[in-house]
Amino acid sequence: MTHPCSAVLPAPSHGPLLFRVTEMTFPPTCIAVVEPQFTTSRVSPEVLVATESGSIIVVDSSTSEDVGITNGPFVKLTVSPSGTMVAAYVSTGSLWVSGLEFEKNLTQLQLNQPEPPDQLVWCVLWLWRDGFTWIGCHFERWD
């Protein structure tokens, strides 16, 4: 059984854009949006769809492509403000950071937290009900 995934995003110059992924066998575990100025087309946004199998599917207004990684499954995703990197919280309790092309693993840190963060924000900040962990831009860590 497949679980089609759809997202509607506002696009000021075009009106709403509909993104669809039809080849997924499970619902997405999380998503993140890459703003148009950081995409190949520079016209429309892309949606990063994390899968139960541990990969990410990159979806734009006309295509979708599984990037073929197996570092997940991811439960939180965030794109860097520069649009060049993505940080992901892995279900096993680690932070994984990659370039947006997913060709290079920049770092993976084990955080040893019992639950996923409530939020994942770049320069990466995890907020839990009882505290936080912050990873700076050069991967220094504070708890």
Side-chain angles (χ1 to χ4, degrees):
M1 176 178 198
T2 61
H3 298 268
C5 174
S6 298
V8 177
L9 298 176
S13 61
H14 297 81
L17 294 173
L18 176 64
F19 294 81
R20 289 184 188 252
V21 182
T22 56
E23 66 270 10
M24 295 185 69
T25 54
F26 294 97
T29 56
C30 61
I31 64 170
V33 177
V34 181
E35 295 182 32
Q37 66 267 29
F38 304 126
T39 66
T40 306
S41 73
R42 300 224 181 263
V43 175
S44 67
E46 293 176 344
V47 179
L48 306 179
V49 180
T51 68
E52 184 72 25
S53 66
S55 190
I56 293 176
I57 299 172
V58 178
V59 184
D60 64 21
S61 57
S62 60
T63 63
S64 63
E65 177 185 0
D66 188 322
V67 298
I69 58 174
T70 57
N71 299 62
F74 306 109
V75 294
K76 300 284 183 182
L77 291 173
T78 185
V79 177
S80 68
S82 66
T84 59
M85 295 181 278
V86 62
Y89 186 82
V90 184
S91 63
T92 58
S94 64
L95 165 72
W96 177 74
V97 180
S98 171
L100 202 53
E101 301 82 23
F102 301 100
E103 294 174 357
K104 185 176 181 183
N105 180 14
L106 299 175
T107 193
Q108 187 150 359
L109 301 170
Q110 187 62 39
L111 297 174
N112 300 317
Q113 293 290 334
E115 297 179 26
D118 294 328
Q119 292 181 326
L120 181 61
V121 181
W122 201 266
C123 258
V124 180
L125 175 69
W126 295 271
L127 299 174
W128 282 269
R129 287 175 189 81
D130 59 349
F132 71 94
T133 298
W134 185 64
I135 306 294
C137 294
H138 300 287
F139 306 114
E140 62 274 17
R141 177 179 174 168
W142 295 272
D143 290 305

